[in-house]
Amino acid sequence: MAHSSRPVGALVDLGTNSARLVIARLEEDGPPVILKQEKYPVSLGDGSFDSHILTQEAMDRTYLALQSAVETAGFFEAEYVRAVATSALRQADNREEFIKRVRQNLGLDLKVIPGPEEARLVYLGVAHNITPSEAPCLILDIGGGSAELIVKGPTTFLELDSLPLGGARVADRFDLNDNNGLVSRGLYRDICRYISNRIRLFKAKVSKYNLKVCYGCAGTLENLARIQAKRLGRDEKMEKFPHMAAKELGDLGLWLGSMTIEERKKVKGLDKEKVPIIVAGCAIADAILYELDVQTLEVVDYGLKHGLIYDFADHYRTGTEPLTREDSVRQLGRRCLFDEEHGEAVANLASLVYDALVKADLLTFNKVERELLRLAALVHDIGKFLSYENHQAHSWYLLKNATILGFDEDELDLMAFLALSHRGAGKKKSAEIFALYQQSERLDYRHCQVLGLALEMAELLESRRQGAIEGFDIKIEDQKAELIITIRAGAKLKEELVHLTKINKKFQIFFDLTLIEPKIVMAE
């Protein structure tokens, strides 16, 4: 998408501890320019790790921070606004209450992103700003609710993961604010063992890379590096963010744990908001770097919010992205050994049906929605990888739970719904899942059904895998709808048209129109 001016974007990263705003302007040449940055200590996740319920006080604090961010975005006349939420909202059962309040009162469309997508954005933010290297390295972001671990190769990421191992979450689990905040040597080692056990799968995947350097994103890791530099009298003037040997983390964690909360508040280099969670954060970093045999921790002032900037740049620039959303969906399809040719044919046909519905004023055009319909159609059959029986439900499950990068949770949910829809709701399991969507506040169920109908029609018309259809239109007259289908010379659709009658009743319910016999036109 090309734009003539230098667009300004407002990007919001809503984490468990803090909300961060960055205002960036894209330049015709050179990297984006940051115009303004704000950090709001909201502690959104306070008290929610066990209950999975956000407290009213935490939601109120966060709402005021987002209100300020929206006002700042307005002051800079940002034409692109994107707000993403991570671990605290991912796990909150009452998140829709908060998201709805923000959307209705502030006009801000807050999107919850899956953990792997958070890791991808962290990777983008860091990889664009460190010296390229042939040797793989670790990128680590320890937030309040989760930790993102990425192995960076010379040109792209090699592995990435997001684990529920944030500083606030671990501090809460081990009650580290009891006993005036004192953490014994034994308790510190228990925390490290807990972390080590939970990164075993990631360790097994990345052991072959011989990682020696870790780039730690600012926040907890920045605080730890600063504290150690001041504690040992190192000269910080030469660089904004110091580095340290990974083996120093154990001693640093025990030193911080030997202090009460009040004593810790006086530690130079430690942000006040990090006082209750810094020992947990240190133990997380200590265990991860020890288990992965990393030698050096380099702290960088880049992370998720900078990844949002580069995604913003991709949104406006011409050319192809290194990894598009379609690439990510196709990768899932190939892992599931899907019939790519059939998926492509159904995707193209679903797009034709969507466009015809829009042209007939039966749908309002939405670019993102059309893209999601096409991508869901591309991999609608991946559930066959698990079992042909009820495979639409398996397709739904895979799209909901597999690692697919570039999407927020609502987008993945819609694609999963559409894949489920391609065979209707005839099976018991499918009907149960549809019933859950019907009760959901997150998606407009009737609208999703209409999009699902478009995919079901495409699948029925391509059921014999002919690739025969070249055009699709809808003519409406006297409360009747006629499908006008253009096919290649020599093709026949007799069986497909019989199958298509399955959607007659749905079409009438959704659009209050009676479907009459389709008109077949031969392409010239």
Side-chain angles (χ1 to χ4, degrees), residues 14-18 42-46 48-49 52-55 58-59 62 85-95 98-99 112-113 118 143-146 168-169:
L14 176 56
T16 301
N17 293 327
S18 306
V42 296
S43 298
L44 178 59
D46 270 8
S48 70
F49 295 114
H52 290 196
I53 299 294
L54 301 172
T55 67
M59 288 191 288
T62 307
T86 55
S87 180
L89 277 187
R90 269 201 298 268
Q91 70 158 21
D93 292 337
N94 62 335
R95 72 185 191 185
F98 180 69
I99 291 172
V112 180
I113 56 175
E118 182 179 356
S146 64
R169 185 186 299 275

PDB file of all heavy atoms in Angstrom, residues 14-18 42-46 48-49 52-55 58-59 62 85-95 98-99 112-113 118 143-146 168-169:
ATOM      1  N   LEU A  14       0.323  -2.849  25.369  1.00  0.00           N
ATOM      2  CA  LEU A  14      -0.262  -2.984  26.707  1.00  0.00           C
ATOM      3  C   LEU A  14       0.194  -4.301  27.323  1.00  0.00           C
ATOM      4  O   LEU A  14      -0.268  -5.377  26.931  1.00  0.00           O
ATOM      5  CB  LEU A  14      -1.783  -2.920  26.637  1.00  0.00           C
ATOM      6  CG  LEU A  14      -2.524  -3.151  27.959  1.00  0.00           C
ATOM      7  CD1 LEU A  14      -2.057  -2.178  29.037  1.00  0.00           C
ATOM      8  CD2 LEU A  14      -4.035  -3.056  27.756  1.00  0.00           C
ATOM      9  N   GLY A  15       1.120  -4.208  28.263  1.00  0.00           N
ATOM     10  CA  GLY A  15       1.658  -5.385  28.915  1.00  0.00           C
ATOM     11  C   GLY A  15       1.051  -5.611  30.288  1.00  0.00           C
ATOM     12  O   GLY A  15       0.107  -4.935  30.696  1.00  0.00           O
ATOM     13  N   THR A  16       1.608  -6.553  31.030  1.00  0.00           N
ATOM     14  CA  THR A  16       1.102  -6.888  32.351  1.00  0.00           C
ATOM     15  C   THR A  16       1.440  -5.812  33.372  1.00  0.00           C
ATOM     16  O   THR A  16       0.618  -5.481  34.233  1.00  0.00           O
ATOM     17  CB  THR A  16       1.693  -8.239  32.796  1.00  0.00           C
ATOM     18  OG1 THR A  16       1.321  -9.239  31.850  1.00  0.00           O
ATOM     19  CG2 THR A  16       1.202  -8.635  34.171  1.00  0.00           C
ATOM     20  N   ASN A  17       2.645  -5.243  33.264  1.00  0.00           N
ATOM     21  CA  ASN A  17       3.076  -4.206  34.211  1.00  0.00           C
ATOM     22  C   ASN A  17       2.829  -2.801  33.696  1.00  0.00           C
ATOM     23  O   ASN A  17       2.432  -1.919  34.452  1.00  0.00           O
ATOM     24  CB  ASN A  17       4.576  -4.355  34.522  1.00  0.00           C
ATOM     25  CG  ASN A  17       4.881  -5.614  35.288  1.00  0.00           C
ATOM     26  OD1 ASN A  17       4.088  -6.074  36.099  1.00  0.00           O
ATOM     27  ND2 ASN A  17       6.043  -6.209  35.010  1.00  0.00           N
ATOM     28  N   SER A  18       3.113  -2.585  32.401  1.00  0.00           N
ATOM     29  CA  SER A  18       3.119  -1.232  31.851  1.00  0.00           C
ATOM     30  C   SER A  18       2.398  -1.165  30.515  1.00  0.00           C
ATOM     31  O   SER A  18       2.290  -2.157  29.801  1.00  0.00           O
ATOM     32  CB  SER A  18       4.568  -0.754  31.646  1.00  0.00           C
ATOM     33  OG  SER A  18       5.321  -0.863  32.830  1.00  0.00           O
ATOM     34  N   VAL A  42       0.841   0.549  34.811  1.00  0.00           N
ATOM     35  CA  VAL A  42      -0.574   0.261  35.058  1.00  0.00           C
ATOM     36  C   VAL A  42      -0.815  -0.975  35.936  1.00  0.00           C
ATOM     37  O   VAL A  42      -1.880  -1.120  36.527  1.00  0.00           O
ATOM     38  CB  VAL A  42      -1.338   0.092  33.728  1.00  0.00           C
ATOM     39  CG1 VAL A  42      -1.328   1.392  32.951  1.00  0.00           C
ATOM     40  CG2 VAL A  42      -0.748  -1.040  32.880  1.00  0.00           C
ATOM     41  N   SER A  43       0.148  -1.892  35.982  1.00  0.00           N
ATOM     42  CA  SER A  43       0.002  -3.140  36.755  1.00  0.00           C
ATOM     43  C   SER A  43      -1.336  -3.816  36.470  1.00  0.00           C
ATOM     44  O   SER A  43      -2.089  -4.175  37.376  1.00  0.00           O
ATOM     45  CB  SER A  43       0.142  -2.852  38.259  1.00  0.00           C
ATOM     46  OG  SER A  43       1.414  -2.335  38.551  1.00  0.00           O
ATOM     47  N   LEU A  44      -1.640  -3.991  35.193  1.00  0.00           N
ATOM     48  CA  LEU A  44      -2.918  -4.567  34.782  1.00  0.00           C
ATOM     49  C   LEU A  44      -3.109  -5.978  35.320  1.00  0.00           C
ATOM     50  O   LEU A  44      -4.227  -6.402  35.622  1.00  0.00           O
ATOM     51  CB  LEU A  44      -3.013  -4.566  33.251  1.00  0.00           C
ATOM     52  CG  LEU A  44      -4.264  -5.170  32.625  1.00  0.00           C
ATOM     53  CD1 LEU A  44      -5.516  -4.448  33.103  1.00  0.00           C
ATOM     54  CD2 LEU A  44      -4.180  -5.147  31.107  1.00  0.00           C
ATOM     55  N   GLY A  45      -2.022  -6.727  35.442  1.00  0.00           N
ATOM     56  CA  GLY A  45      -2.143  -8.122  35.856  1.00  0.00           C
ATOM     57  C   GLY A  45      -2.224  -8.346  37.354  1.00  0.00           C
ATOM     58  O   GLY A  45      -2.362  -9.494  37.795  1.00  0.00           O
ATOM     59  N   ASP A  46      -2.173  -7.286  38.165  1.00  0.00           N
ATOM     60  CA  ASP A  46      -2.176  -7.438  39.623  1.00  0.00           C
ATOM     61  C   ASP A  46      -3.343  -8.299  40.097  1.00  0.00           C
ATOM     62  O   ASP A  46      -4.509  -8.006  39.820  1.00  0.00           O
ATOM     63  CB  ASP A  46      -2.274  -6.065  40.302  1.00  0.00           C
ATOM     64  CG  ASP A  46      -0.901  -5.464  40.569  1.00  0.00           C
ATOM     65  OD1 ASP A  46       0.095  -6.050  40.094  1.00  0.00           O
ATOM     66  OD2 ASP A  46      -0.819  -4.415  41.231  1.00  0.00           O
ATOM     67  N   SER A  48      -4.381 -11.181  39.221  1.00  0.00           N
ATOM     68  CA  SER A  48      -5.190 -11.936  38.250  1.00  0.00           C
ATOM     69  C   SER A  48      -4.566 -13.261  37.827  1.00  0.00           C
ATOM     70  O   SER A  48      -5.192 -14.010  37.065  1.00  0.00           O
ATOM     71  CB  SER A  48      -5.425 -11.082  36.999  1.00  0.00           C
ATOM     72  OG  SER A  48      -4.232 -10.907  36.261  1.00  0.00           O
ATOM     73  N   PHE A  49      -3.370 -13.567  38.302  1.00  0.00           N
ATOM     74  CA  PHE A  49      -2.679 -14.749  37.777  1.00  0.00           C
ATOM     75  C   PHE A  49      -3.367 -16.055  38.178  1.00  0.00           C
ATOM     76  O   PHE A  49      -3.403 -17.003  37.393  1.00  0.00           O
ATOM     77  CB  PHE A  49      -1.215 -14.749  38.219  1.00  0.00           C
ATOM     78  CG  PHE A  49      -0.419 -13.611  37.640  1.00  0.00           C
ATOM     79  CD1 PHE A  49       0.084 -12.619  38.447  1.00  0.00           C
ATOM     80  CD2 PHE A  49      -0.223 -13.515  36.280  1.00  0.00           C
ATOM     81  CE1 PHE A  49       0.802 -11.558  37.916  1.00  0.00           C
ATOM     82  CE2 PHE A  49       0.486 -12.461  35.727  1.00  0.00           C
ATOM     83  CZ  PHE A  49       0.996 -11.482  36.552  1.00  0.00           C
ATOM     84  N   HIS A  52      -7.578 -15.334  37.095  1.00  0.00           N
ATOM     85  CA  HIS A  52      -7.829 -15.015  35.686  1.00  0.00           C
ATOM     86  C   HIS A  52      -8.906 -13.940  35.542  1.00  0.00           C
ATOM     87  O   HIS A  52      -9.579 -13.854  34.521  1.00  0.00           O
ATOM     88  CB  HIS A  52      -8.229 -16.264  34.890  1.00  0.00           C
ATOM     89  CG  HIS A  52      -7.090 -17.226  34.702  1.00  0.00           C
ATOM     90  ND1 HIS A  52      -7.117 -18.236  33.756  1.00  0.00           N
ATOM     91  CD2 HIS A  52      -5.896 -17.339  35.328  1.00  0.00           C
ATOM     92  CE1 HIS A  52      -5.987 -18.925  33.822  1.00  0.00           C
ATOM     93  NE2 HIS A  52      -5.236 -18.390  34.772  1.00  0.00           N
ATOM     94  N   ILE A  53      -9.038 -13.116  36.579  1.00  0.00           N
ATOM     95  CA  ILE A  53      -9.999 -12.018  36.575  1.00  0.00           C
ATOM     96  C   ILE A  53      -9.252 -10.708  36.831  1.00  0.00           C
ATOM     97  O   ILE A  53      -8.576 -10.556  37.850  1.00  0.00           O
ATOM     98  CB  ILE A  53     -11.082 -12.200  37.658  1.00  0.00           C
ATOM     99  CG1 ILE A  53     -11.881 -13.482  37.406  1.00  0.00           C
ATOM    100  CG2 ILE A  53     -12.019 -10.993  37.706  1.00  0.00           C
ATOM    101  CD1 ILE A  53     -12.708 -13.470  36.141  1.00  0.00           C
ATOM    102  N   LEU A  54      -9.349  -9.760  35.906  1.00  0.00           N
ATOM    103  CA  LEU A  54      -8.747  -8.444  36.100  1.00  0.00           C
ATOM    104  C   LEU A  54      -9.531  -7.691  37.173  1.00  0.00           C
ATOM    105  O   LEU A  54     -10.770  -7.687  37.153  1.00  0.00           O
ATOM    106  CB  LEU A  54      -8.781  -7.642  34.797  1.00  0.00           C
ATOM    107  CG  LEU A  54      -8.068  -8.248  33.584  1.00  0.00           C
ATOM    108  CD1 LEU A  54      -8.361  -7.415  32.344  1.00  0.00           C
ATOM    109  CD2 LEU A  54      -6.566  -8.326  33.828  1.00  0.00           C
ATOM    110  N   THR A  55      -8.837  -7.054  38.097  1.00  0.00           N
ATOM    111  CA  THR A  55      -9.536  -6.288  39.133  1.00  0.00           C
ATOM    112  C   THR A  55     -10.048  -4.973  38.548  1.00  0.00           C
ATOM    113  O   THR A  55      -9.512  -4.460  37.561  1.00  0.00           O
ATOM    114  CB  THR A  55      -8.606  -5.974  40.313  1.00  0.00           C
ATOM    115  OG1 THR A  55      -7.573  -5.074  39.875  1.00  0.00           O
ATOM    116  CG2 THR A  55      -7.974  -7.246  40.870  1.00  0.00           C
ATOM    117  N   ALA A  58      -7.323  -2.299  38.608  1.00  0.00           N
ATOM    118  CA  ALA A  58      -6.324  -2.430  37.544  1.00  0.00           C
ATOM    119  C   ALA A  58      -6.899  -1.972  36.204  1.00  0.00           C
ATOM    120  O   ALA A  58      -6.213  -1.303  35.415  1.00  0.00           O
ATOM    121  CB  ALA A  58      -5.850  -3.885  37.449  1.00  0.00           C
ATOM    122  N   MET A  59      -8.149  -2.323  35.934  1.00  0.00           N
ATOM    123  CA  MET A  59      -8.771  -1.896  34.681  1.00  0.00           C
ATOM    124  C   MET A  59      -8.938  -0.376  34.637  1.00  0.00           C
ATOM    125  O   MET A  59      -8.735   0.245  33.586  1.00  0.00           O
ATOM    126  CB  MET A  59     -10.119  -2.597  34.493  1.00  0.00           C
ATOM    127  CG  MET A  59      -9.992  -4.073  34.158  1.00  0.00           C
ATOM    128  SD  MET A  59     -11.551  -4.846  33.612  1.00  0.00           S
ATOM    129  CE  MET A  59     -12.452  -4.896  35.162  1.00  0.00           C
ATOM    130  N   THR A  62      -5.567   1.241  33.929  1.00  0.00           N
ATOM    131  CA  THR A  62      -5.169   1.016  32.537  1.00  0.00           C
ATOM    132  C   THR A  62      -6.023   1.841  31.585  1.00  0.00           C
ATOM    133  O   THR A  62      -5.516   2.379  30.587  1.00  0.00           O
ATOM    134  CB  THR A  62      -5.281  -0.482  32.194  1.00  0.00           C
ATOM    135  OG1 THR A  62      -4.537  -1.232  33.171  1.00  0.00           O
ATOM    136  CG2 THR A  62      -4.731  -0.774  30.819  1.00  0.00           C
ATOM    137  N   ALA A  85      -2.463  -6.018  23.094  1.00  0.00           N
ATOM    138  CA  ALA A  85      -2.381  -6.427  24.496  1.00  0.00           C
ATOM    139  C   ALA A  85      -1.788  -7.823  24.567  1.00  0.00           C
ATOM    140  O   ALA A  85      -2.020  -8.654  23.680  1.00  0.00           O
ATOM    141  CB  ALA A  85      -3.766  -6.400  25.138  1.00  0.00           C
ATOM    142  N   THR A  86      -1.054  -8.087  25.632  1.00  0.00           N
ATOM    143  CA  THR A  86      -0.323  -9.351  25.724  1.00  0.00           C
ATOM    144  C   THR A  86      -0.818 -10.204  26.898  1.00  0.00           C
ATOM    145  O   THR A  86      -2.013 -10.420  27.034  1.00  0.00           O
ATOM    146  CB  THR A  86       1.184  -9.069  25.798  1.00  0.00           C
ATOM    147  OG1 THR A  86       1.463  -8.173  26.892  1.00  0.00           O
ATOM    148  CG2 THR A  86       1.667  -8.411  24.503  1.00  0.00           C
ATOM    149  N   SER A  87       0.070 -10.675  27.722  1.00  0.00           N
ATOM    150  CA  SER A  87      -0.220 -11.771  28.653  1.00  0.00           C
ATOM    151  C   SER A  87      -1.400 -11.517  29.590  1.00  0.00           C
ATOM    152  O   SER A  87      -2.243 -12.390  29.778  1.00  0.00           O
ATOM    153  CB  SER A  87       1.034 -12.077  29.480  1.00  0.00           C
ATOM    154  OG  SER A  87       0.791 -13.134  30.378  1.00  0.00           O
ATOM    155  N   ALA A  88      -1.479 -10.328  30.192  1.00  0.00           N
ATOM    156  CA  ALA A  88      -2.534 -10.085  31.189  1.00  0.00           C
ATOM    157  C   ALA A  88      -3.923 -10.243  30.583  1.00  0.00           C
ATOM    158  O   ALA A  88      -4.816 -10.851  31.186  1.00  0.00           O
ATOM    159  CB  ALA A  88      -2.370  -8.692  31.793  1.00  0.00           C
ATOM    160  N   LEU A  89      -4.117  -9.702  29.383  1.00  0.00           N
ATOM    161  CA  LEU A  89      -5.426  -9.835  28.738  1.00  0.00           C
ATOM    162  C   LEU A  89      -5.610 -11.203  28.098  1.00  0.00           C
ATOM    163  O   LEU A  89      -6.732 -11.701  28.009  1.00  0.00           O
ATOM    164  CB  LEU A  89      -5.627  -8.735  27.697  1.00  0.00           C
ATOM    165  CG  LEU A  89      -6.106  -7.375  28.220  1.00  0.00           C
ATOM    166  CD1 LEU A  89      -6.434  -6.446  27.073  1.00  0.00           C
ATOM    167  CD2 LEU A  89      -7.310  -7.501  29.133  1.00  0.00           C
ATOM    168  N   ARG A  90      -4.523 -11.819  27.656  1.00  0.00           N
ATOM    169  CA  ARG A  90      -4.644 -13.167  27.066  1.00  0.00           C
ATOM    170  C   ARG A  90      -5.304 -14.127  28.038  1.00  0.00           C
ATOM    171  O   ARG A  90      -6.094 -14.979  27.653  1.00  0.00           O
ATOM    172  CB  ARG A  90      -3.257 -13.715  26.686  1.00  0.00           C
ATOM    173  CG  ARG A  90      -2.818 -13.400  25.287  1.00  0.00           C
ATOM    174  CD  ARG A  90      -1.744 -14.330  24.791  1.00  0.00           C
ATOM    175  NE  ARG A  90      -0.519 -14.299  25.540  1.00  0.00           N
ATOM    176  CZ  ARG A  90       0.537 -13.517  25.275  1.00  0.00           C
ATOM    177  NH1 ARG A  90       0.472 -12.668  24.264  1.00  0.00           N
ATOM    178  NH2 ARG A  90       1.628 -13.573  25.993  1.00  0.00           N
ATOM    179  N   GLN A  91      -4.964 -14.019  29.308  1.00  0.00           N
ATOM    180  CA  GLN A  91      -5.435 -15.002  30.279  1.00  0.00           C
ATOM    181  C   GLN A  91      -6.696 -14.562  31.023  1.00  0.00           C
ATOM    182  O   GLN A  91      -7.268 -15.340  31.783  1.00  0.00           O
ATOM    183  CB  GLN A  91      -4.337 -15.268  31.307  1.00  0.00           C
ATOM    184  CG  GLN A  91      -4.088 -14.088  32.244  1.00  0.00           C
ATOM    185  CD  GLN A  91      -3.414 -14.513  33.541  1.00  0.00           C
ATOM    186  OE1 GLN A  91      -2.799 -15.555  33.630  1.00  0.00           O
ATOM    187  NE2 GLN A  91      -3.556 -13.673  34.559  1.00  0.00           N
ATOM    188  N   ALA A  92      -7.161 -13.320  30.819  1.00  0.00           N
ATOM    189  CA  ALA A  92      -8.254 -12.784  31.634  1.00  0.00           C
ATOM    190  C   ALA A  92      -9.612 -13.231  31.109  1.00  0.00           C
ATOM    191  O   ALA A  92      -9.958 -12.984  29.953  1.00  0.00           O
ATOM    192  CB  ALA A  92      -8.175 -11.263  31.673  1.00  0.00           C
ATOM    193  N   ASP A  93     -10.397 -13.850  31.966  1.00  0.00           N
ATOM    194  CA  ASP A  93     -11.733 -14.300  31.575  1.00  0.00           C
ATOM    195  C   ASP A  93     -12.683 -13.116  31.353  1.00  0.00           C
ATOM    196  O   ASP A  93     -13.670 -13.250  30.623  1.00  0.00           O
ATOM    197  CB  ASP A  93     -12.317 -15.226  32.638  1.00  0.00           C
ATOM    198  CG  ASP A  93     -11.570 -16.554  32.733  1.00  0.00           C
ATOM    199  OD1 ASP A  93     -10.921 -16.936  31.736  1.00  0.00           O
ATOM    200  OD2 ASP A  93     -11.624 -17.189  33.803  1.00  0.00           O
ATOM    201  N   ASN A  94     -12.412 -11.990  31.987  1.00  0.00           N
ATOM    202  CA  ASN A  94     -13.292 -10.826  31.846  1.00  0.00           C
ATOM    203  C   ASN A  94     -12.705  -9.749  30.929  1.00  0.00           C
ATOM    204  O   ASN A  94     -13.037  -8.577  31.040  1.00  0.00           O
ATOM    205  CB  ASN A  94     -13.611 -10.223  33.221  1.00  0.00           C
ATOM    206  CG  ASN A  94     -12.369  -9.716  33.953  1.00  0.00           C
ATOM    207  OD1 ASN A  94     -11.250 -10.186  33.697  1.00  0.00           O
ATOM    208  ND2 ASN A  94     -12.543  -8.766  34.848  1.00  0.00           N
ATOM    209  N   ARG A  95     -11.850 -10.159  30.011  1.00  0.00           N
ATOM    210  CA  ARG A  95     -11.183  -9.178  29.168  1.00  0.00           C
ATOM    211  C   ARG A  95     -12.151  -8.450  28.243  1.00  0.00           C
ATOM    212  O   ARG A  95     -11.933  -7.286  27.907  1.00  0.00           O
ATOM    213  CB  ARG A  95     -10.075  -9.844  28.352  1.00  0.00           C
ATOM    214  CG  ARG A  95     -10.544 -10.746  27.222  1.00  0.00           C
ATOM    215  CD  ARG A  95      -9.362 -11.443  26.580  1.00  0.00           C
ATOM    216  NE  ARG A  95      -9.720 -12.111  25.338  1.00  0.00           N
ATOM    217  CZ  ARG A  95      -8.896 -12.857  24.634  1.00  0.00           C
ATOM    218  NH1 ARG A  95      -7.653 -13.032  25.061  1.00  0.00           N
ATOM    219  NH2 ARG A  95      -9.265 -13.421  23.519  1.00  0.00           N
ATOM    220  N   PHE A  98     -13.419  -5.175  29.510  1.00  0.00           N
ATOM    221  CA  PHE A  98     -12.456  -4.075  29.409  1.00  0.00           C
ATOM    222  C   PHE A  98     -12.281  -3.626  27.958  1.00  0.00           C
ATOM    223  O   PHE A  98     -12.270  -2.428  27.657  1.00  0.00           O
ATOM    224  CB  PHE A  98     -11.120  -4.506  30.003  1.00  0.00           C
ATOM    225  CG  PHE A  98     -10.065  -3.436  29.954  1.00  0.00           C
ATOM    226  CD1 PHE A  98     -10.164  -2.308  30.740  1.00  0.00           C
ATOM    227  CD2 PHE A  98      -8.987  -3.551  29.093  1.00  0.00           C
ATOM    228  CE1 PHE A  98      -9.206  -1.308  30.689  1.00  0.00           C
ATOM    229  CE2 PHE A  98      -8.020  -2.563  29.021  1.00  0.00           C
ATOM    230  CZ  PHE A  98      -8.141  -1.440  29.833  1.00  0.00           C
ATOM    231  N   ILE A  99     -12.142  -4.580  27.050  1.00  0.00           N
ATOM    232  CA  ILE A  99     -11.940  -4.241  25.633  1.00  0.00           C
ATOM    233  C   ILE A  99     -13.139  -3.453  25.098  1.00  0.00           C
ATOM    234  O   ILE A  99     -12.980  -2.480  24.348  1.00  0.00           O
ATOM    235  CB  ILE A  99     -11.710  -5.522  24.819  1.00  0.00           C
ATOM    236  CG1 ILE A  99     -10.352  -6.136  25.174  1.00  0.00           C
ATOM    237  CG2 ILE A  99     -11.789  -5.259  23.325  1.00  0.00           C
ATOM    238  CD1 ILE A  99     -10.101  -7.508  24.577  1.00  0.00           C
ATOM    239  N   VAL A 112      -5.920  -8.374  21.311  1.00  0.00           N
ATOM    240  CA  VAL A 112      -5.093  -9.319  22.063  1.00  0.00           C
ATOM    241  C   VAL A 112      -4.324 -10.166  21.061  1.00  0.00           C
ATOM    242  O   VAL A 112      -4.908 -10.725  20.128  1.00  0.00           O
ATOM    243  CB  VAL A 112      -5.973 -10.214  22.952  1.00  0.00           C
ATOM    244  CG1 VAL A 112      -5.102 -11.198  23.738  1.00  0.00           C
ATOM    245  CG2 VAL A 112      -6.812  -9.364  23.909  1.00  0.00           C
ATOM    246  N   ILE A 113      -3.008 -10.249  21.249  1.00  0.00           N
ATOM    247  CA  ILE A 113      -2.196 -11.043  20.323  1.00  0.00           C
ATOM    248  C   ILE A 113      -1.708 -12.318  21.013  1.00  0.00           C
ATOM    249  O   ILE A 113      -1.426 -12.327  22.213  1.00  0.00           O
ATOM    250  CB  ILE A 113      -0.986 -10.249  19.774  1.00  0.00           C
ATOM    251  CG1 ILE A 113      -0.099  -9.713  20.906  1.00  0.00           C
ATOM    252  CG2 ILE A 113      -1.465  -9.109  18.883  1.00  0.00           C
ATOM    253  CD1 ILE A 113       1.180  -9.035  20.418  1.00  0.00           C
ATOM    254  N   GLU A 118       3.524 -12.134  19.751  1.00  0.00           N
ATOM    255  CA  GLU A 118       4.288 -11.219  20.607  1.00  0.00           C
ATOM    256  C   GLU A 118       5.785 -11.444  20.415  1.00  0.00           C
ATOM    257  O   GLU A 118       6.564 -10.491  20.284  1.00  0.00           O
ATOM    258  CB  GLU A 118       3.903 -11.436  22.077  1.00  0.00           C
ATOM    259  CG  GLU A 118       4.620 -10.504  23.036  1.00  0.00           C
ATOM    260  CD  GLU A 118       4.219 -10.709  24.491  1.00  0.00           C
ATOM    261  OE1 GLU A 118       3.333 -11.530  24.769  1.00  0.00           O
ATOM    262  OE2 GLU A 118       4.824 -10.038  25.359  1.00  0.00           O
ATOM    263  N   GLY A 143       8.744 -10.032  30.500  1.00  0.00           N
ATOM    264  CA  GLY A 143       7.709  -9.084  30.882  1.00  0.00           C
ATOM    265  C   GLY A 143       7.125  -9.432  32.226  1.00  0.00           C
ATOM    266  O   GLY A 143       7.689 -10.218  32.993  1.00  0.00           O
ATOM    267  N   GLY A 144       5.958  -8.880  32.516  1.00  0.00           N
ATOM    268  CA  GLY A 144       5.314  -9.172  33.783  1.00  0.00           C
ATOM    269  C   GLY A 144       4.616 -10.510  33.789  1.00  0.00           C
ATOM    270  O   GLY A 144       4.606 -11.213  34.796  1.00  0.00           O
ATOM    271  N   GLY A 145       4.024 -10.877  32.645  1.00  0.00           N
ATOM    272  CA  GLY A 145       3.252 -12.104  32.598  1.00  0.00           C
ATOM    273  C   GLY A 145       3.878 -13.222  31.801  1.00  0.00           C
ATOM    274  O   GLY A 145       3.548 -14.390  31.994  1.00  0.00           O
ATOM    275  N   SER A 146       4.782 -12.890  30.873  1.00  0.00           N
ATOM    276  CA  SER A 146       5.359 -13.922  30.013  1.00  0.00           C
ATOM    277  C   SER A 146       6.802 -13.576  29.662  1.00  0.00           C
ATOM    278  O   SER A 146       7.245 -12.446  29.844  1.00  0.00           O
ATOM    279  CB  SER A 146       4.533 -14.066  28.723  1.00  0.00           C
ATOM    280  OG  SER A 146       4.579 -12.883  27.958  1.00  0.00           O
ATOM    281  N   ALA A 168       6.161 -10.690  37.268  1.00  0.00           N
ATOM    282  CA  ALA A 168       5.038 -10.539  38.190  1.00  0.00           C
ATOM    283  C   ALA A 168       4.348 -11.874  38.432  1.00  0.00           C
ATOM    284  O   ALA A 168       3.945 -12.194  39.565  1.00  0.00           O
ATOM    285  CB  ALA A 168       4.045  -9.511  37.636  1.00  0.00           C
ATOM    286  N   ARG A 169       4.215 -12.672  37.372  1.00  0.00           N
ATOM    287  CA  ARG A 169       3.556 -13.978  37.511  1.00  0.00           C
ATOM    288  C   ARG A 169       4.352 -14.899  38.448  1.00  0.00           C
ATOM    289  O   ARG A 169       3.787 -15.560  39.328  1.00  0.00           O
ATOM    290  CB  ARG A 169       3.409 -14.633  36.140  1.00  0.00           C
ATOM    291  CG  ARG A 169       2.622 -15.933  36.171  1.00  0.00           C
ATOM    292  CD  ARG A 169       2.642 -16.621  34.808  1.00  0.00           C
ATOM    293  NE  ARG A 169       2.043 -15.811  33.769  1.00  0.00           N
ATOM    294  CZ  ARG A 169       0.740 -15.770  33.507  1.00  0.00           C
ATOM    295  NH1 ARG A 169      -0.090 -16.483  34.248  1.00  0.00           N
ATOM    296  NH2 ARG A 169       0.285 -15.024  32.525  1.00  0.00           N
TER     297      ARG A 169
END
